[in-house]
Amino acid sequence: MFAKQNPADHGDRVNCIAFDFYGKRMATGGSDDTIKVWDLSSSGWSTSEEKHINVHKAPIWNISWAHPEFGQALASCSSDRTVVIHEEKTQVSKEKGVELKWCAVQTLDDSRVPVRDVKFAPKHHGLVLASCAEDGKVRIYEAPDAMALGNWTLQEEFKLKGKDPMCTSLSWSQSKSNRIMLAVGCRTMDNVMSSEVGKIQVWETQESRRLGLAEGVNLQVQEDVVNVAFAPNLGRSFQLLAGACSKKVRIWKIASSGMEGGSKYDTRLELEHEHVDEIWRLAWNVTGTALAATANDGRILIFQVNFEGKWEPVNKLEQEES
């Protein structure tokens, strides 16, 4: 195995891990209310006190890195009902001289319930951030000036369709040629959701420039959804969307129907794989031709598209006994 185990350096459970654009930096967030930023060197991953962020007052659920074009910036969300924007800044002191230190530059406190996920949009959409909360509300923020990361405005707020949805996950589409798409996963207290909307809802920009449900994209997911992930789009004419639906991994193909007056999109289920335990996280490779899924039993499932264009499981990694 090429993997190397590192001490988490957290005082409680680690809830999220996020890598930067280049894969050379990593941020972890835990139930100890702390974010730690790690750097990769020839000796492995390391962190230090000035890279420890203690601004939240409750467990941290997710972290997102901004594109490096906008500087070294993070967004985090927490059970304390806030989204916090962090920026790495140069500071000068008599004791330590010049050093880089992470600073909280703005706190977004519009939510009245725990915020479960936060995601920066792809850089071609500008400095845009989405968050989703346990009351089913999604909020879109924008920073008009990339040089002033402490200045964010709420551009839009909407609630998922259906009966009492509780948001769990967000994912922006990566396509540059189509309208902005945002997939939102959710769960419900009574495990019931109308088949007309389902527990993965795909929203896109409308003529009004506000987000609305994408016409023809009805995934009809009835299981609780923990994670959603759009695949990287390298010139494809369609989108691939993966969902962690209870014990199932699903991949859908979303393509333009090309029909005037009819449904705008055609949606087809490309993969449905059922595991023995709950699926927690999904991650695509950079070309969108392979998908990794982590499960509650510690296994990592790998799926890949074959030469016929069909998706299939190709590997299963299990945790080694210590």
Side-chain angles (χ1 to χ4, degrees), residues 6 70 127-128 149 152 158 182 195 206 239 241 251 273 293:
N6 286 279
F70 304 117
L127 198 48
V128 175
L149 291 178
W152 291 80
F158 62 88
L182 180 67
S195 60
Q206 308 293 314
Q239 304 280 353
L241 175 64
I251 298 175
H273 177 87

Side-chain angles (χ1 to χ4, degrees), residues 236 288-290 303-312 314:
R236 289 194 191 94
T289 55
F303 304 89
Q304 199 166 13
V305 63
N306 62 23
F307 69 94
E308 295 179 335
K310 295 180 180 180
W311 285 88
E312 57 187 6
V314 294

Side-chain angles (χ1 to χ4, degrees), residues 198-209:
K199 294 185 182 179
I200 296 179
Q201 298 179 24
V202 179
W203 296 66
E204 71 166 354
T205 50
Q206 308 293 314
E207 296 298 335
S208 63
R209 299 188 68 183

Side-chain angles (χ1 to χ4, degrees), residues 120-178:
F120 282 103
K123 71 164 185 173
H124 52 272
H125 296 321
L127 198 48
V128 175
L129 182 72
S131 71
C132 67
E134 288 188 358
D135 58 2
K137 290 184 179 180
V138 178
R139 294 177 174 88
I140 310 296
Y141 299 91
E142 184 174 10
D145 183 1
M147 301 302 292
L149 291 178
N151 182 22
W152 291 80
T153 57
L154 179 62
Q155 297 294 313
E156 186 175 354
E157 176 181 309
F158 62 88
K159 186 169 183 177
L160 296 189
K161 306 296 183 182
K163 180 184 177 184
D164 301 325
M166 303 171 67
C167 296
T168 57
S169 180
L170 293 165
S171 182
W172 293 94
S173 64
Q174 305 295 311
S175 174
K176 296 182 179 180
S177 58
N178 298 315

